[in-house]
Amino acid sequence: MQICGFEVGLEQPFFLISGPCSIEGDGLALETAQKLKEITVRLKIPFIYKSSFDKANRSSHNSRRGVGIEEGLRILERVKREIGVPVLTDVHEDTPMDEVASVVDVLQTPAFLCRQTNFIQSVARTGKPVNIKKGQFLAPWDMTNVVEKARAVGNQQIMVCERGYTFGYNNLVSDMRSLAIMRTTHCPVVFDATHSVQLPGGQGSVSGGERQHVPVLARAAVAVGIAGLFMESHPDPANAWSDGPNSWPLDKMEALLASLVELDQVVKAKPFIEQTL
């Protein structure tokens, strides 16, 4: 499958989706996009910039949700034009899809909404590539039904994304078998290394996270074999508007990505044994 001008799949090097969770303004967006572009060009990683204009699934209604659609799309368009990278953003049930699709290159559906048929098909009808996040409550094999809903309206550019499964209160666990199981959807499989270490609602009115485990899970996912890696990054995670506790520091991105590129090359050098059984 080709997305944003590059081929994606198990036969290709992994691509990266990265950026701050929430759009916070022109300065942060341009700074992070430029830095991530420089890193990924050096490491020869296909790159899609990610940031959200609205975070509708916050723990508390008092939490910051973002800059809003008008300002958010203006900033994402500026990132595309000035930095020269494709952009991805989240959409929600009340999002004007055509308006967002006129600016962004890839649409992303939040995990909590993966079973909403009308929503999934509304997003897919834009004709844009769609990254569908697997719900924290959903078995990996059940993503087949979600993908079929999206493809039923004619969109074949569908990706499926693992971001952990609810395991008790305020905790997520990533089952690495799900990455192999979701390959049966015949969609590129993406692993979300930063939301997988999130502790939903873990700080009462906000979510917590265990950032130190991001490299652990990222290495494990690359070792399993993935098409893409999702990893939110921020230059100052402690003061990020959203998902600071589970965002990976921007100044540590290159070192981590370099090690993942080496691992990815080794893993994909030979056929996957489990696919021969």
Side-chain angles (χ1 to χ4, degrees):
M1 181 186 299
Q2 189 171 86
I3 294 176
C4 300
F6 52 83
E7 292 292 327
V8 302
L10 278 184
E11 300 77 22
Q12 305 295 330
F14 73 82
F15 66 92
L16 176 70
I17 300 171
S18 187
C21 178
S22 177
I23 298 172
E24 299 178 19
D26 293 77
L28 179 71
L30 294 169
E31 174 193 353
T32 54
Q34 181 62 42
K35 181 65 175 177
L36 288 166
K37 179 182 179 181
E38 292 170 358
I39 292 170
T40 52
V41 166
R42 281 195 291 270
L43 297 177
K44 298 180 180 179
I45 301 172
F47 169 54
I48 301 171
Y49 182 77
K50 181 269 172 185
S51 207
S52 301
F53 57 80
D54 181 22
K55 302 300 296 182
N57 55 349
R58 305 310 304 273
S59 299
S60 168
H61 72 96
N62 292 317
S63 297
R64 269 178 163 161
R65 288 183 51 166
V67 297
I69 185 170
E70 183 177 348
E71 180 71 354
L73 291 180
R74 182 191 66 78
I75 292 172
L76 289 173
E77 192 280 330
R78 187 177 175 192
V79 167
K80 281 184 62 172
R81 175 168 38 86
E82 296 187 19
I83 309 301
V85 293
V87 297
L88 173 154
T89 198
D90 292 303
V91 290
H92 303 280
E93 288 180 299
D94 59 353
T95 299
M97 300 301 173
D98 290 341
E99 183 178 350
V100 176
S102 69
V103 174
V104 307
D105 301 282
V106 183
L107 302 176
Q108 181 167 275
T109 61
F112 286 123
L113 298 179
C114 70
R115 283 181 59 93
Q116 299 300 104
T117 302
N118 290 349
F119 169 66
I120 292 295
Q121 294 191 329
S122 176
V123 178
R125 281 193 187 95
T126 65
K128 292 285 186 175
V130 182
N131 188 33
I132 302 179
K133 287 200 168 186
K134 180 180 75 65
Q136 302 91 326
F137 47 83
L138 206 66
W141 45 84
D142 289 332
M143 283 298 284
T144 299
N145 294 323
V146 180
V147 169
E148 287 177 355
K149 291 177 183 180
R151 286 178 171 162
V153 298
N155 193 333
Q156 300 300 312
Q157 293 182 290
I158 305 299
M159 299 174 280
V160 291
C161 182
E162 172 61 68
R163 51 93 16 100
Y165 189 88
T166 299
F167 187 78
Y169 297 130
N170 307 117
N171 195 26
L172 297 170
V173 166
S174 291
D175 180 359
M176 292 299 155
R177 296 174 300 177
S178 72
L179 301 174
I181 292 169
M182 287 200 295
R183 291 177 196 157
T184 61
T185 63
H186 303 293
C187 294
V189 177
V190 179
F191 180 68
D192 183 341
T194 47
H195 285 101
S196 290
V197 302
Q198 188 183 60
L199 301 176
Q203 296 181 7
S205 61
V206 297
S207 293
E210 297 180 320
R211 186 184 305 117
Q212 69 273 21
H213 297 316
V214 169
V216 176
L217 294 184
R219 287 194 299 266
V222 171
V224 170
I226 52 174
L229 182 67
F230 180 110
M231 195 156 53
E232 289 181 333
S233 183
H234 196 286
D236 184 15
N239 291 300
W241 285 11
S242 176
D243 279 347
N246 51 272
S247 291
W248 191 246
L250 185 61
D251 63 359
K252 297 182 182 298
M253 279 291 285
E254 185 159 11
L256 176 54
L257 288 172
S259 68
L260 296 176
V261 166
E262 291 185 21
L263 182 57
D264 186 62
Q265 292 170 345
V266 171
V267 169
K268 292 176 178 173
K270 295 182 179 179
F272 290 90
I273 297 173
E274 68 271 17
Q275 294 183 330
T276 67
L277 298 178

